[in-house]
Every structure is written in structure tokens, then in C-alpha cells.
Amino acid sequence: MTYASGRRLPAAPVAVWLASRAVLLLYTFRVVFVPGPDVTTDVSVIYHNWYLVLQQGTFPLDDVTWQYPPAAAAAILSPALLPFLEYAHAFFVLALLCDIAVFGLLMYTGGRPGKSYAGAWVWIVGLPLLGPTSYARYDVMVTAIAVAALLAGVRHPRVMGTLAGVGALLKVWPVLLLVGTGRGPVTRRSWTAAALSGVAVLLGCVAAAPGALAFLGFQRDRGTEVESLGALVFHVLRFFGSWEGEVRLNYGSVEFLGPYVPLVSRGALALTVLAFGWLVLWRLRAREFGKTTLCDAAFAAVLLFTTTSRVISPQYMLWLVGLASVCLVWRASRMRSAAVLVVAATGVTLLEFPIWFSHVVQSDALGLTLLLARNGLLVAASLLACRELWRQTVTEPALREAAYLGSGGPGEGQRAGSALLRS
């Protein structure tokens, strides 16, 4: 098998992708069953109900579970493109097509000089590790846009900005793709394109149907989602029998409600603010924006905001797997260790949801262990990604500059800089 350019397509990743997706489709179409809650009902029930409302020319004005930016309506309505299939099956097929698009982009890019198929392997392995959730949420569609944006970003900043703007109106987080754009023309072009595309999509949604901004009011009074980092406080307290709150389906997710929940939720928000502050500091201090900085910074940023969020839904792992795969397309990327941790965390996520979700809800030993493992891996990945990003763009360029200035000449400066880096 070959590309259109004549380069040979490696058989191993294609074979593994085909085999893994065949198994994933068996689970998604309920031919083979994964233990625990049926994750596909979100499509056949919740998404389908939204679809029926949106077809009437309005956003779900009275449904507090509709907490998505207005362009999400396009994802919910997309099964109409396949009218010969029932809604859920059409949605799964479209999710598969997005998966194919990401795999194709990663394989095509990975075969170029200076690139690697490691990114494609992260996607091949990471997606099925999440089980049927991968195709039963529209996050795979958003992730496909984000992957395309980052792969285009090095040479086509306006394309990247446009895709990031559209993605942000689908699920907010793609705006973080812009954090690592190089200073000067690249930032101006990409950020301007993102703003223009985002405003255009927003205005189009507002003009198309009433209730486009209703989602903004549905975030109030939320608790702390049981799979989040902050939720570990209540899991530990419940395990030792010293908390009197409750676990309840609230605003579309299973959350803790009761004493100290608002305090922990505010703590999670404070951590997110601190993460944003670190990203601002990094961008101000960064001395060198290399070829990998764009994707590495996006990966680190989304890791920080995912890990510190008061809600860590299983499908969020799709974002991280997608961004990790783009990082590892570059042979020079230093995000390999963080990417491995993310893939491992994705596998643990399948165990905690849906397989043993009942244990998570009960806060028993197994549920607590799974959450400690998954969230611990995310914390470790976040710290590793941020450390490597800082080293590559702040510390090492500063050492090279100091060595150069101290030596009085480029030759001696480069040797001195190398010695400093080794030490």
C-alpha cells in the first residue's frame, strides 16, 4: 500500500488500526458488551433528544444538561448526513470517519523527514483504550479538528487559527491550541483568524436559532464530579466514614453534593487560575519557539486545564490522546514520557468508567485505587509536560545565551553551552 506521493504505507500500524477499530465497533454497536453502564445511551437518548429539539429550530432552552457552546449543535445534527441509518448508528459511523481522518493525517505527516510514526501509534493504541466512549461522544470530532489545526499550524497559521476558532465554539478547549504560537506574525495571523472564525460561527448560531447562549446559565450550582481530582477528598472521607454528603446525578454528571463541596469546587477553580497564570508566565519568559513548541505547549495547556477541572469526564482523555499523538509526530518532541502517562491514564479510565464505575460511586477500596491511579497519572503527566516545555523554551535557551556571551565567540559559546546543559 502506498501514498499518492509514492511513499510506502507501513503495514503494521494499518493492520493494528483495523483490528482495534473492528473490536471497538463491536462494543459500540453492542454486539459485544463492556461491563458497567451502557455509554452508548448518551447518543441514542440524550443526543437524539437534543437532535429532535434542534430540528425544530431552537436550542435546548430548558435542558440544564445542554452545557456546550452553540456550534455543538452541528455535531448533534450531523447524523442527518446519513439518513439511511438510525440516529445512533449514523453518529457512530461519523465518529469512525473522524478517527480515520486523524489516523490518516498522522500517518501522512509521520512519514516525512524529521517526523515519526510514533504519533500515529499513540492514536492507534489510545483511542480503543477508552472503549466505546470514544465513539459515543462528539469529542472525537472536536479532537479531529484540533489535530488538523496543529498539524497545519507550523506552515499555515491562519488555517490553524480558523480551525481553533471553530473548535472553541464546539467545546471551548481548542482555544488553548493558540498558547504556543510563535511571537510576531504567526501569533497575529493565527489569533486574528481564530477570533474572526469564532465570532462568525457564534453570530451564525445566534442568528439561526434562539437559545444559542443558554448553556452559559447551566453551569451554576454544579457540584464536584466524582471522577475529578478534587473528588478524591470526598472519596477518602467517605471511605473512612466521615462525610455526610451524597452522590447524585446532577447537571448531567454524577457529582458529590453536600458539606464542603463548594469549598473544594472553589479550590479546583483556584488551581485552574494558577495553571492559567503559569501559562502566561511561560509565554512571557519563553525565549525560543521551535518547531515542536506549538504542539507541546497545546498539550501541556490542555493537560493542566483537564487535570485541575472540577469535572474530568472519561471522554476528556480523547483530547489528551489526540494532542499527545501530534506531539510525537515530531522526533524532536520531549513529550514522550508525558504521552506514555496519558495513554496509561486512558486505560485506567476505561476501568473506572464504565467497567467498575459502581465502585467509584461507592468510594470503596477498588474505586478509590482506580481514581488515585488515573488522576495521579494525569498530575504526573502535567508536571512532566510543563517541566519539559519550560526547559526547552526558557532554561536551555538562556543557558546557551549566557554561555555565548561569556565566551566572546560563537565556537566557544556553543561548547560552553553544551557543557552547561550536560551538567
Side-chain angles (χ1 to χ4, degrees):
M1 189 179 295
T2 59
Y3 296 104
S5 61
R7 287 186 282 120
R8 186 170 182 80
L9 184 65
V14 175
V16 176
W17 185 90
L18 288 171
S20 62
R21 272 41 180 192
V23 173
L24 186 54
L25 286 171
L26 289 175
Y27 284 118
T28 304
F29 280 88
R30 305 292 288 170
V31 177
V32 179
F33 294 87
V34 174
D38 180 6
V39 301
T40 64
T41 57
D42 273 22
V43 176
S44 58
V45 178
I46 298 175
Y47 282 16
H48 187 240
N49 287 339
W50 289 341
Y51 172 82
L52 296 176
V53 173
L54 289 165
Q55 279 194 319
Q56 297 173 11
T58 180
F59 284 86
L61 294 170
D62 302 317
D63 188 347
V64 296
T65 63
W66 175 261
Q67 298 172 12
Y68 307 110
I76 303 302
L77 290 169
S78 62
L81 297 172
L82 303 175
F84 49 88
L85 294 175
E86 65 175 79
Y87 181 86
H89 291 174
F91 188 92
F92 301 148
V93 170
L94 291 171
L96 173 65
L97 293 176
C98 290
D99 180 6
I100 292 172
V102 173
F103 177 63
L105 285 170
L106 293 170
M107 289 295 293
Y108 178 78
T109 308
R112 294 181 172 183
K115 307 297 197 305
S116 169
Y117 290 119
W121 278 111
V122 169
W123 183 255
I124 292 168
V125 174
L127 201 72
L129 277 179
L130 197 59
T133 301
S134 296
Y135 286 173
R137 303 291 187 274
Y138 82 89
D139 296 79
V140 69
M141 302 174 182
V142 185
T143 302
I145 292 175
V147 169
L150 287 176
L151 291 177
V154 175
R155 293 186 176 182
H156 307 287
R158 287 193 180 94
V159 174
M160 183 196 69
T162 300
L163 291 173
V166 172
L169 266 294
L170 278 165
K171 209 159 189 182
V172 180
W173 67 266
V175 73
L176 295 172
L177 304 180
L178 302 170
V179 73
T181 55
R183 294 193 180 99
V186 173
T187 289
R188 287 195 300 272
R189 292 169 186 165
S190 59
W191 290 26
T192 300
L196 291 175
S197 64
V199 169
V201 172
L202 179 60
L203 292 177
C205 292
V206 170
L213 301 180
F215 75 100
L216 294 173
F218 295 155
Q219 290 286 344
R220 292 191 299 268
D221 301 325
R222 291 202 64 169
T224 293
E225 194 257 346
V226 296
E227 297 166 86
S228 66
L229 183 63
L232 286 171
V233 173
F234 302 111
H235 283 295
V236 172
L237 291 174
R238 290 181 80 205
F239 183 76
F240 290 104
S242 54
W243 187 67
E244 297 180 353
E246 62 177 335
V247 177
R248 194 170 69 197
L249 183 64
N250 188 53
Y251 288 86
S253 64
V254 181
E255 300 178 347
F256 284 118
L257 299 172
Y260 310 113
V261 171
L263 177 63
V264 171
S265 296
R266 288 195 293 271
L269 179 60
L271 284 177
T272 301
V273 172
L274 287 174
F276 179 77
W278 184 89
L279 287 170
V280 172
L281 177 64
W282 165 78
R283 185 159 178 94
L284 292 173
R285 293 286 304 276
R287 294 170 175 260
E288 186 175 283
F289 286 77
K291 291 182 178 180
T292 68
T293 303
L294 178 65
C295 51
D296 290 351
F299 180 47
V302 177
L303 258 172
L304 284 174
F305 278 83
T306 300
T307 303
T308 60
S309 173
R310 61 178 175 174
V311 177
I312 306 181
S313 297
Q315 62 267 26
Y316 291 9
M317 300 306 300
L318 289 174
W319 316 345
L320 301 176
V321 169
L323 298 185
S325 66
V326 179
C327 289
L328 266 61
V329 161
W330 296 89
R331 293 185 184 275
S333 177
R334 300 187 184 182
M335 295 295 157
R336 293 181 182 275
S337 296
V340 169
L341 292 177
V342 162
V343 171
T346 304
V348 178
T349 299
L350 175 62
L351 297 178
E352 62 93 358
F353 183 89
I355 294 179
W356 286 317
F357 190 59
S358 61
H359 294 275
V360 172
V361 172
Q362 293 167 14
S363 302
D364 63 16
L366 177 57
L368 183 58
T369 300
L370 289 172
L371 281 184
L372 283 170
R374 198 281 300 275
N375 292 345
L377 287 167
L378 287 179
V379 170
S382 300
L383 295 176
L384 273 174
C386 291
R387 185 187 69 175
E388 292 302 326
L389 182 64
W390 188 275
R391 280 183 174 178
Q392 191 169 19
T393 60
V394 180
T395 305
E396 293 176 5
L399 288 173
R400 286 194 294 268
E401 182 180 339
Y404 180 85
L405 294 175
S407 69
E412 291 297 324
Q414 290 171 357
R415 287 192 288 273
S418 299
L420 280 170
L421 292 176
R422 286 195 298 271
S423 64

